[in-house]
Amino acid sequence: MITVKSFVFNDFQTNTYILSNEQHQCMIIDCACQNATEWQQLKGWLNENQLTPLHALLTHCHVDHVLGCHYLLDEYGIGYQTHPASKIFIELASEFSSVLGLKLEKFPPPQSYIYEGDCIQMEGLTLKVIYTPGHADGSVCYHSENEKIMFSGDVLFKDSIGRSDLPTGNYEKLRKSIIEKLFVLPDDTVVYPGHGPFTTIGHERKNNPFV
Ligand SMILES: [Zn+2]
Ligand SMILES: [Zn+2]
């Protein structure tokens, strides 16, 4: 059985997800904790549940999603994985963070790159990478067919979609990503977005006013 725990971190209310299995291993999606208080919250949960982080995955490299990456590297020795098209956001992370008023202490380079169709695995869970540009270059979603869960980053939200007016954003691309890559998944797939509450593919296909 896979457990999905979520935290809401930093001034942008970004969701960080911890996916754990019965062997006490876990993957962390969008490690967004921004300060010592939030690092302690994350660490507390990992300790309490005796979890060992195996993978740190990013849905994209907007600053509000990456604030805790250096903490994971320093504390647990795991670097993050992201799509290579995120490069511009990695190179300009400190500029973007000052524009947004967020304090990014450091942003190390990625441990490795992931590509469309790649499978990220731990015992009991396989996450498949879906490339979904339009909100930001390098945006990916992570889908588990068996668990019927999908992590959509800032591409798809409950009754909304991501912004397309930021650098590398493009509304038509975003719409295409959602329709062709996400709305083809089964209706009962639970969608965990980068901000706000979870939803399902079925609900969004019927009700999302922006697609
Ligand atoms: Zn974003
Ligand atoms: Zn975001």
Side-chain angles (χ1 to χ4, degrees), residues 59-65 135-136 139 153-155 157 162-163 166 195:
T59 58
H60 63 304
C61 287
H62 276 160
V63 176
D64 56 316
H65 293 252
H135 168 66
S139 279
D154 288 356
V155 172
F157 300 121
R163 289 174 62 170
L166 300 167
H195 303 270

PDB file of all heavy atoms in Angstrom, residues 59-65 135-136 139 153-155 157 162-163 166 195, ligand 1:
ATOM      1  N   THR A  59       8.167  18.629 -10.297  1.00  0.00           N
ATOM      2  CA  THR A  59       7.222  18.726 -11.419  1.00  0.00           C
ATOM      3  C   THR A  59       7.695  19.792 -12.399  1.00  0.00           C
ATOM      4  O   THR A  59       7.432  19.704 -13.594  1.00  0.00           O
ATOM      5  CB  THR A  59       5.808  19.086 -10.940  1.00  0.00           C
ATOM      6  OG1 THR A  59       5.857  20.341 -10.223  1.00  0.00           O
ATOM      7  CG2 THR A  59       5.239  18.004 -10.034  1.00  0.00           C
ATOM      8  N   HIS A  60       8.343  20.843 -11.869  1.00  0.00           N
ATOM      9  CA  HIS A  60       8.989  21.876 -12.689  1.00  0.00           C
ATOM     10  C   HIS A  60       9.853  22.714 -11.752  1.00  0.00           C
ATOM     11  O   HIS A  60       9.808  22.517 -10.542  1.00  0.00           O
ATOM     12  CB  HIS A  60       7.967  22.720 -13.454  1.00  0.00           C
ATOM     13  CG  HIS A  60       7.015  23.510 -12.595  1.00  0.00           C
ATOM     14  ND1 HIS A  60       6.213  22.930 -11.638  1.00  0.00           N
ATOM     15  CD2 HIS A  60       6.736  24.840 -12.545  1.00  0.00           C
ATOM     16  CE1 HIS A  60       5.476  23.865 -11.059  1.00  0.00           C
ATOM     17  NE2 HIS A  60       5.776  25.040 -11.578  1.00  0.00           N
ATOM     18  N   CYS A  61      10.613  23.628 -12.325  1.00  0.00           N
ATOM     19  CA  CYS A  61      11.610  24.322 -11.507  1.00  0.00           C
ATOM     20  C   CYS A  61      11.240  25.761 -11.178  1.00  0.00           C
ATOM     21  O   CYS A  61      12.132  26.591 -10.971  1.00  0.00           O
ATOM     22  CB  CYS A  61      12.977  24.227 -12.162  1.00  0.00           C
ATOM     23  SG  CYS A  61      13.656  22.565 -12.013  1.00  0.00           S
ATOM     24  N   HIS A  62       9.952  26.088 -11.108  1.00  0.00           N
ATOM     25  CA  HIS A  62       9.590  27.393 -10.539  1.00  0.00           C
ATOM     26  C   HIS A  62      10.032  27.420  -9.081  1.00  0.00           C
ATOM     27  O   HIS A  62       9.945  26.402  -8.382  1.00  0.00           O
ATOM     28  CB  HIS A  62       8.072  27.626 -10.636  1.00  0.00           C
ATOM     29  CG  HIS A  62       7.643  28.159 -11.963  1.00  0.00           C
ATOM     30  ND1 HIS A  62       6.351  28.067 -12.420  1.00  0.00           N
ATOM     31  CD2 HIS A  62       8.361  28.807 -12.927  1.00  0.00           C
ATOM     32  CE1 HIS A  62       6.285  28.642 -13.614  1.00  0.00           C
ATOM     33  NE2 HIS A  62       7.486  29.088 -13.947  1.00  0.00           N
ATOM     34  N   VAL A  63      10.476  28.616  -8.662  1.00  0.00           N
ATOM     35  CA  VAL A  63      11.145  28.719  -7.363  1.00  0.00           C
ATOM     36  C   VAL A  63      10.296  28.193  -6.209  1.00  0.00           C
ATOM     37  O   VAL A  63      10.813  27.556  -5.286  1.00  0.00           O
ATOM     38  CB  VAL A  63      11.567  30.192  -7.114  1.00  0.00           C
ATOM     39  CG1 VAL A  63      12.182  30.334  -5.738  1.00  0.00           C
ATOM     40  CG2 VAL A  63      12.569  30.619  -8.163  1.00  0.00           C
ATOM     41  N   ASP A  64       8.980  28.427  -6.261  1.00  0.00           N
ATOM     42  CA  ASP A  64       8.138  27.998  -5.126  1.00  0.00           C
ATOM     43  C   ASP A  64       8.091  26.474  -4.961  1.00  0.00           C
ATOM     44  O   ASP A  64       7.641  25.980  -3.934  1.00  0.00           O
ATOM     45  CB  ASP A  64       6.712  28.581  -5.241  1.00  0.00           C
ATOM     46  CG  ASP A  64       6.004  28.244  -6.535  1.00  0.00           C
ATOM     47  OD1 ASP A  64       6.638  28.343  -7.598  1.00  0.00           O
ATOM     48  OD2 ASP A  64       4.814  27.876  -6.481  1.00  0.00           O
ATOM     49  N   HIS A  65       8.558  25.731  -5.963  1.00  0.00           N
ATOM     50  CA  HIS A  65       8.522  24.259  -5.888  1.00  0.00           C
ATOM     51  C   HIS A  65       9.863  23.634  -5.495  1.00  0.00           C
ATOM     52  O   HIS A  65       9.937  22.425  -5.286  1.00  0.00           O
ATOM     53  CB  HIS A  65       8.048  23.680  -7.232  1.00  0.00           C
ATOM     54  CG  HIS A  65       6.635  24.027  -7.521  1.00  0.00           C
ATOM     55  ND1 HIS A  65       5.606  23.109  -7.466  1.00  0.00           N
ATOM     56  CD2 HIS A  65       6.058  25.212  -7.809  1.00  0.00           C
ATOM     57  CE1 HIS A  65       4.466  23.726  -7.717  1.00  0.00           C
ATOM     58  NE2 HIS A  65       4.709  24.996  -7.935  1.00  0.00           N
ATOM     59  N   HIS A 135       2.787  25.505 -19.033  1.00  0.00           N
ATOM     60  CA  HIS A 135       2.908  26.362 -17.842  1.00  0.00           C
ATOM     61  C   HIS A 135       4.362  26.832 -17.738  1.00  0.00           C
ATOM     62  O   HIS A 135       4.628  28.013 -17.522  1.00  0.00           O
ATOM     63  CB  HIS A 135       2.493  25.585 -16.593  1.00  0.00           C
ATOM     64  CG  HIS A 135       2.846  26.289 -15.310  1.00  0.00           C
ATOM     65  ND1 HIS A 135       2.273  27.482 -14.932  1.00  0.00           N
ATOM     66  CD2 HIS A 135       3.731  25.983 -14.324  1.00  0.00           C
ATOM     67  CE1 HIS A 135       2.786  27.873 -13.760  1.00  0.00           C
ATOM     68  NE2 HIS A 135       3.675  26.988 -13.384  1.00  0.00           N
ATOM     69  N   ALA A 136       5.275  25.902 -17.885  1.00  0.00           N
ATOM     70  CA  ALA A 136       6.704  26.222 -17.900  1.00  0.00           C
ATOM     71  C   ALA A 136       7.414  25.112 -18.659  1.00  0.00           C
ATOM     72  O   ALA A 136       7.030  23.938 -18.541  1.00  0.00           O
ATOM     73  CB  ALA A 136       7.245  26.287 -16.475  1.00  0.00           C
ATOM     74  N   SER A 139       8.027  21.178 -17.518  1.00  0.00           N
ATOM     75  CA  SER A 139       6.951  20.687 -16.631  1.00  0.00           C
ATOM     76  C   SER A 139       6.613  19.236 -16.938  1.00  0.00           C
ATOM     77  O   SER A 139       6.334  18.893 -18.086  1.00  0.00           O
ATOM     78  CB  SER A 139       5.651  21.477 -16.839  1.00  0.00           C
ATOM     79  OG  SER A 139       5.664  22.687 -16.154  1.00  0.00           O
ATOM     80  N   GLY A 153       1.625  19.011 -10.706  1.00  0.00           N
ATOM     81  CA  GLY A 153       2.367  20.278 -10.608  1.00  0.00           C
ATOM     82  C   GLY A 153       1.441  21.455 -10.826  1.00  0.00           C
ATOM     83  O   GLY A 153       0.324  21.485 -10.304  1.00  0.00           O
ATOM     84  N   ASP A 154       1.905  22.447 -11.624  1.00  0.00           N
ATOM     85  CA  ASP A 154       1.068  23.620 -11.894  1.00  0.00           C
ATOM     86  C   ASP A 154       0.405  23.532 -13.263  1.00  0.00           C
ATOM     87  O   ASP A 154       0.021  24.544 -13.846  1.00  0.00           O
ATOM     88  CB  ASP A 154       1.917  24.899 -11.827  1.00  0.00           C
ATOM     89  CG  ASP A 154       2.303  25.241 -10.396  1.00  0.00           C
ATOM     90  OD1 ASP A 154       1.863  24.541  -9.469  1.00  0.00           O
ATOM     91  OD2 ASP A 154       3.052  26.226 -10.226  1.00  0.00           O
ATOM     92  N   VAL A 155       0.272  22.315 -13.801  1.00  0.00           N
ATOM     93  CA  VAL A 155      -0.372  22.151 -15.104  1.00  0.00           C
ATOM     94  C   VAL A 155      -1.892  22.129 -14.928  1.00  0.00           C
ATOM     95  O   VAL A 155      -2.626  22.892 -15.568  1.00  0.00           O
ATOM     96  CB  VAL A 155       0.133  20.862 -15.785  1.00  0.00           C
ATOM     97  CG1 VAL A 155      -0.657  20.555 -17.052  1.00  0.00           C
ATOM     98  CG2 VAL A 155       1.622  21.004 -16.114  1.00  0.00           C
ATOM     99  N   PHE A 157      -5.115  22.094 -12.031  1.00  0.00           N
ATOM    100  CA  PHE A 157      -5.594  22.246 -10.654  1.00  0.00           C
ATOM    101  C   PHE A 157      -7.062  21.844 -10.595  1.00  0.00           C
ATOM    102  O   PHE A 157      -7.710  21.664 -11.629  1.00  0.00           O
ATOM    103  CB  PHE A 157      -5.503  23.712 -10.209  1.00  0.00           C
ATOM    104  CG  PHE A 157      -4.128  24.300 -10.233  1.00  0.00           C
ATOM    105  CD1 PHE A 157      -3.850  25.414 -11.008  1.00  0.00           C
ATOM    106  CD2 PHE A 157      -3.105  23.760  -9.463  1.00  0.00           C
ATOM    107  CE1 PHE A 157      -2.585  25.983 -11.028  1.00  0.00           C
ATOM    108  CE2 PHE A 157      -1.835  24.319  -9.471  1.00  0.00           C
ATOM    109  CZ  PHE A 157      -1.579  25.433 -10.262  1.00  0.00           C
ATOM    110  N   GLY A 162      -2.835  25.938 -14.819  1.00  0.00           N
ATOM    111  CA  GLY A 162      -1.704  26.779 -14.466  1.00  0.00           C
ATOM    112  C   GLY A 162      -1.660  28.051 -15.300  1.00  0.00           C
ATOM    113  O   GLY A 162      -2.297  28.155 -16.354  1.00  0.00           O
ATOM    114  N   ARG A 163      -0.903  29.028 -14.812  1.00  0.00           N
ATOM    115  CA  ARG A 163      -0.712  30.256 -15.569  1.00  0.00           C
ATOM    116  C   ARG A 163       0.102  29.969 -16.816  1.00  0.00           C
ATOM    117  O   ARG A 163       0.970  29.114 -16.814  1.00  0.00           O
ATOM    118  CB  ARG A 163       0.046  31.271 -14.702  1.00  0.00           C
ATOM    119  CG  ARG A 163      -0.776  31.830 -13.579  1.00  0.00           C
ATOM    120  CD  ARG A 163       0.070  32.693 -12.684  1.00  0.00           C
ATOM    121  NE  ARG A 163       0.622  33.848 -13.412  1.00  0.00           N
ATOM    122  CZ  ARG A 163       1.235  34.865 -12.813  1.00  0.00           C
ATOM    123  NH1 ARG A 163       1.382  34.875 -11.503  1.00  0.00           N
ATOM    124  NH2 ARG A 163       1.714  35.883 -13.523  1.00  0.00           N
ATOM    125  N   LEU A 166       3.796  33.324 -17.753  1.00  0.00           N
ATOM    126  CA  LEU A 166       5.151  33.425 -17.190  1.00  0.00           C
ATOM    127  C   LEU A 166       6.153  33.019 -18.279  1.00  0.00           C
ATOM    128  O   LEU A 166       5.759  32.473 -19.308  1.00  0.00           O
ATOM    129  CB  LEU A 166       5.253  32.497 -15.970  1.00  0.00           C
ATOM    130  CG  LEU A 166       4.260  32.826 -14.833  1.00  0.00           C
ATOM    131  CD1 LEU A 166       4.199  31.697 -13.807  1.00  0.00           C
ATOM    132  CD2 LEU A 166       4.629  34.135 -14.165  1.00  0.00           C
ATOM    133  N   HIS A 195      -0.770  23.160  -6.147  1.00  0.00           N
ATOM    134  CA  HIS A 195      -1.414  24.079  -5.206  1.00  0.00           C
ATOM    135  C   HIS A 195      -2.876  23.662  -5.072  1.00  0.00           C
ATOM    136  O   HIS A 195      -3.485  23.222  -6.038  1.00  0.00           O
ATOM    137  CB  HIS A 195      -1.372  25.523  -5.727  1.00  0.00           C
ATOM    138  CG  HIS A 195       0.011  26.025  -6.012  1.00  0.00           C
ATOM    139  ND1 HIS A 195       0.775  26.667  -5.069  1.00  0.00           N
ATOM    140  CD2 HIS A 195       0.769  25.946  -7.142  1.00  0.00           C
ATOM    141  CE1 HIS A 195       1.945  26.978  -5.607  1.00  0.00           C
ATOM    142  NE2 HIS A 195       1.974  26.546  -6.861  1.00  0.00           N
TER     143      HIS A 195
HETATM  144 ZN    ZN B   1       4.765  26.938 -11.541  1.00  0.00          ZN
END
